[in-house]
Amino acid sequence: MTHPSLHRRALLGGSAAGLSLAFVGRAFAQSGASGVVSDNKLVVILARGAMDGLSVTVPYADPNYAALRGGLALAEPGQADGVLALADGFGLHPALGGLHALYRRGQMRFAPAVALPVRVRSHFDAQDVLENGGESLRRQDDGWLNRAIVAAGGRRLTGLAIGAQTPLILRGEAPVSGWAPGGRVHEDDRIAGLLQDLYVEDPLLGQSLARGLATEERAALDGDGGRVGRNDAQALGQAVARLMTGTEGANVVALSLDGWDTHAGQKAQLQTRLTGLDRLIAGLEMGLGEDWRRTVVAVATEFGRTARANGTGGTDHGTASSLILAGGAVRPGGLIGDWPGLADNRLFEGRDLAPTLDVRAVFKGVLRDHLGLDRAQLDTHVFPDSAAEAPAVDGLA
């Protein structure tokens, strides 16, 4: 059978539910005099646990793919349970039907071999680097997405963290809001009433509490006080979208999806995880409505997984993985970065997909073209000492 050609160039080198809205971060004053509020929106989804990029954006036409992956190899497009065809000999995992529909509309692109600037295979260390935006472990004590809000200055981007805790990526000088899926707070809630009375004169906590109650109201599933559970991915996406719309909606959102550490039984686990991811993005699109055309969703992970399966039908900690960009503001285009190939002599340390692109280069392109940050701010403030990494994506709305 004749396969489509894979894109090849040179390898470039090795809070509790309920009252859940809170302000985090140090005192912060917006700079700039324009007062312009950006209509564009960015959602960063962190796939925690190391997502296997070779099972997400599948290089089925690579001549070494099937033999290398063994029992983890997915069938070609058109076959039973086959991947969903993309360009350049790649395919999406069959659980990602919604993302594939976006791709066919020109609203999805992917980088097949991105990695951190430092080679680590510890989840905790790698997540720290991914979120702090520096070149090494614990280089920064705040997150690059928070620094991007600061750098936007008078454009007044507003940040929102989804989950019980604010992830490092959104910690820093800029105050951001947080929402954890949970029950709706009713007007007659006794604890809420006591807190409002207690903090009514407090200029910081009083405002925070009031906004927290308003957030619960906006995110509720229905007028009957329905709950938004993390297991209902599409409903969660719609609830997050409700917090992004309107004049007070968030511009910049970060949320985490756990469970990607697939050391055993990977096929079944990824089917579940990717189905959830697909429905989450579908919920965001549905809930955002007209705002979807001004939105970019970035899905990133701390590192990839080994190219070969282990003895328990899973994979171990690796290096490069996939990064996905989706949304109405994404424009059609080819691969982001290069494909290194899966030949033995092209694998990193003889075991992992080799990186061809620094993950910060993708984020830089999104922040520059979608949120309007200038290159100097990106090189020195948002991602310190990263001038050598040019933005790797353009053409975003």
Side-chain angles (χ1 to χ4, degrees):
M1 178 177 292
T2 301
H3 294 284
S5 297
L6 282 167
H7 182 86
R8 287 180 178 273
R9 296 189 206 127
L11 177 63
L12 301 183
S15 93
L19 299 179
S20 54
L21 184 97
F23 283 100
V24 297
R26 299 178 286 276
F28 170 75
Q30 296 284 1
S31 61
S34 65
V36 176
V37 179
S38 172
D39 288 330
N40 287 351
K41 299 179 184 295
L42 171 64
V43 180
V44 178
I45 299 175
L46 300 172
R48 296 192 185 278
M51 181 177 70
D52 180 34
L54 292 175
S55 293
V56 177
T57 56
V58 181
Y60 69 89
D62 187 297
N64 299 286
Y65 166 74
L68 184 63
R69 295 248 93 184
L72 297 181
L74 296 172
E76 297 180 9
Q79 297 184 6
D81 299 320
V83 298
L84 307 172
L86 304 172
D88 301 312
F90 285 85
L92 274 178
H93 190 284
L96 297 173
L99 266 177
H100 191 248
L102 292 177
Y103 172 80
R104 296 183 65 172
R105 285 156 47 191
Q107 295 184 4
M108 193 215 90
R109 294 182 64 188
F110 65 97
V114 300
L116 304 173
V118 59
R119 304 290 171 253
V120 291
R121 295 192 180 102
S122 158
H123 293 299
F124 301 108
D125 289 344
Q127 288 174 17
D128 180 88
V129 176
L130 176 65
E131 296 182 64
N132 76 41
E135 290 191 321
S136 59
L137 300 180
R138 287 166 281 281
R139 177 70 177 270
Q140 310 293 137
D141 61 5
D142 54 2
W144 65 261
L145 198 51
N146 189 287
R147 294 196 297 273
I149 296 174
V150 175
R155 301 180 66 236
R156 296 188 300 173
L157 296 176
T158 55
L160 173 67
I162 305 301
Q165 296 182 335
T166 300
L168 174 60
I169 194 173
L170 265 181
R171 296 178 199 164
E173 293 183 7
V176 300
S177 301
W179 176 70
R184 180 179 173 185
V185 178
H186 295 275
E187 291 181 0
D188 59 354
D189 187 283
R190 180 173 177 271
I191 299 299
L194 289 173
L195 289 172
Q196 285 179 304
D197 291 341
L198 179 62
Y199 294 122
V200 65
E201 301 296 335
D202 190 296
L204 177 61
L205 295 179
Q207 283 187 343
S208 297
L209 178 60
R211 290 186 61 182
L213 296 175
T215 298
E216 291 298 336
E217 180 72 22
R218 292 179 64 195
L221 276 174
D222 52 49
D224 297 324
R227 297 175 64 87
V228 181
R230 285 182 65 93
N231 291 332
D232 190 344
Q234 183 164 309
L236 176 61
Q238 290 177 279
V240 172
R242 282 192 286 276
L243 301 178
M244 298 173 62
T245 57
T247 57
E248 295 184 359
N251 307 94
V252 177
V253 177
L255 63 90
S256 300
L257 295 180
D258 299 325
W260 301 90
D261 196 14
T262 52
H263 287 283
Q266 176 170 299
K267 274 198 167 182
Q269 289 192 64
L270 281 187
Q271 180 70 32
T272 300
R273 299 291 178 267
L274 292 173
T275 297
L277 174 63
D278 201 59
R279 291 176 178 170
L280 173 66
I281 295 174
L284 285 169
E285 180 187 10
M286 187 181 304
L288 285 169
E290 280 298 307
D291 285 333
W292 178 253
R293 66 184 177 88
R294 295 185 289 270
T295 299
V296 170
V297 179
V299 183
T301 193
E302 66 263 34
F303 48 70
R305 309 194 69 83
T306 49
R308 297 178 181 86
N310 59 27
T312 57
T315 50
D316 299 317
H317 298 178
T319 305
S321 188
S322 300
L323 183 148
I324 292 173
L325 296 181
V330 175
R331 296 293 177 258
L335 298 185
I336 303 171
D338 301 321
W339 174 244
L342 294 174
D344 284 346
N345 64 351
R346 306 307 293 268
L347 296 178
F348 179 72
E349 296 185 347
R351 48 168 278 166
D352 302 339
L353 177 65
T356 65
L357 187 63
D358 189 317
V359 67
R360 296 173 300 173
V362 182
F363 294 141
K364 278 187 176 184
V366 173
L367 294 177
R368 181 194 65 184
D369 294 347
H370 187 58
L371 297 186
L373 275 67
D374 65 59
R375 177 71 186 276
Q377 291 264 37
L378 294 170
D379 290 347
T380 60
H381 180 67
V382 180
F383 299 102
D385 303 318
S386 68
E389 302 299 334
V393 59
D394 53 30
L396 298 171

